[in-house]
Amino acid sequence: MLAEYTQKKESLQENIEKSKIGRQNTAERAALTKELTALRQKKDQLKLEIETYKECDPDVIEEILPSHPQTPGKLIAADDYKEIQIPRSSRIPHVKCPMRQANKVAKEAANRWTDNIFSVKSWAKRKFGFEDSKINKTFGIPEDFDYVD
């Protein structure tokens, strides 16, 4: 049994010596090791930065935002929309990113008002027989007025 362990030890020593071949401490190896260490530190720094801005990820935002009660197909009125409250447990104090949802609500509100303007124009055409160009000129509506994409 002792002979078996001695043989195993010698085998491991030989493997260590073989693995040291090509791993001598040279200037090139030291430079590469230093570069590897610097890259690992940068990687850790970037991971921390990504973690800082994790709240801005649209998937994460959808998970942590409360759903607004609305009927299907009905847009949220801007007056009904309050500031988005992100739970404290998932909030990073210096990063606020409810802008995506706010932008979506603003776009929906703009399209709702655009729809209202088109409805009024249609009503004025039917009721008074005005032309589009005259209505646009009277109310200062640009010719390229359209829904927000």
Side-chain angles (χ1 to χ4, degrees):
M1 190 164 190
L2 182 62
E4 188 179 310
Y5 285 118
T6 307
Q7 184 181 6
K8 189 172 183 179
K9 180 183 174 189
E10 289 174 6
S11 172
L12 290 173
Q13 289 292 340
E14 288 175 15
N15 287 341
I16 290 172
E17 293 302 319
K18 286 179 185 178
S19 65
K20 284 184 179 179
I21 297 172
R23 292 188 184 182
Q24 289 80 15
N25 288 334
T26 62
E28 181 185 4
R29 181 173 172 82
L32 290 173
T33 304
K34 186 176 180 181
E35 182 181 353
L36 178 63
T37 304
L39 289 173
R40 283 183 177 158
Q41 288 175 348
K42 182 161 180 134
K43 176 184 166 190
D44 292 340
Q45 177 187 0
L46 291 173
K47 278 186 177 183
L48 286 173
E49 188 173 343
I50 287 172
E51 188 66 29
T52 302
Y53 295 109
K54 180 175 86 173
E55 281 189 15
C56 295
D57 182 6
D59 296 332
V60 174
I61 290 173
E62 291 301 319
E63 287 177 17
I64 62 177
L65 289 180
S67 59
H68 190 284
Q70 74 181 59
T71 56
K74 183 178 177 186
L75 299 175
I76 300 171
D79 296 336
D80 296 339
Y81 188 77
K82 303 297 179 204
E83 181 181 338
I84 298 169
Q85 297 296 319
I86 299 173
R88 283 197 178 275
S89 62
S90 61
R91 190 182 314 169
I92 298 174
H94 65 280
V95 177
K96 295 181 181 180
C97 200
M99 293 303 295
R100 291 185 195 272
Q101 185 68 17
N103 288 344
K104 181 179 175 186
V105 170
K107 181 179 170 183
E108 290 171 348
N111 283 332
R112 185 175 52 256
W113 279 100
T114 302
D115 194 38
N116 291 342
I117 290 169
F118 285 138
S119 295
V120 169
K121 281 176 62 175
S122 175
W123 175 80
K125 280 194 283 188
R126 279 185 281 122
K127 182 78 172 172
F128 303 109
F130 291 143
E131 296 178 18
D132 266 349
S133 60
K134 185 169 180 145
I135 294 171
N136 289 344
K137 184 177 180 186
T138 304
F139 292 104
I141 301 170
E143 291 297 322
D144 61 347
F145 184 74
D146 203 1
Y147 292 96
V148 178
D149 291 330

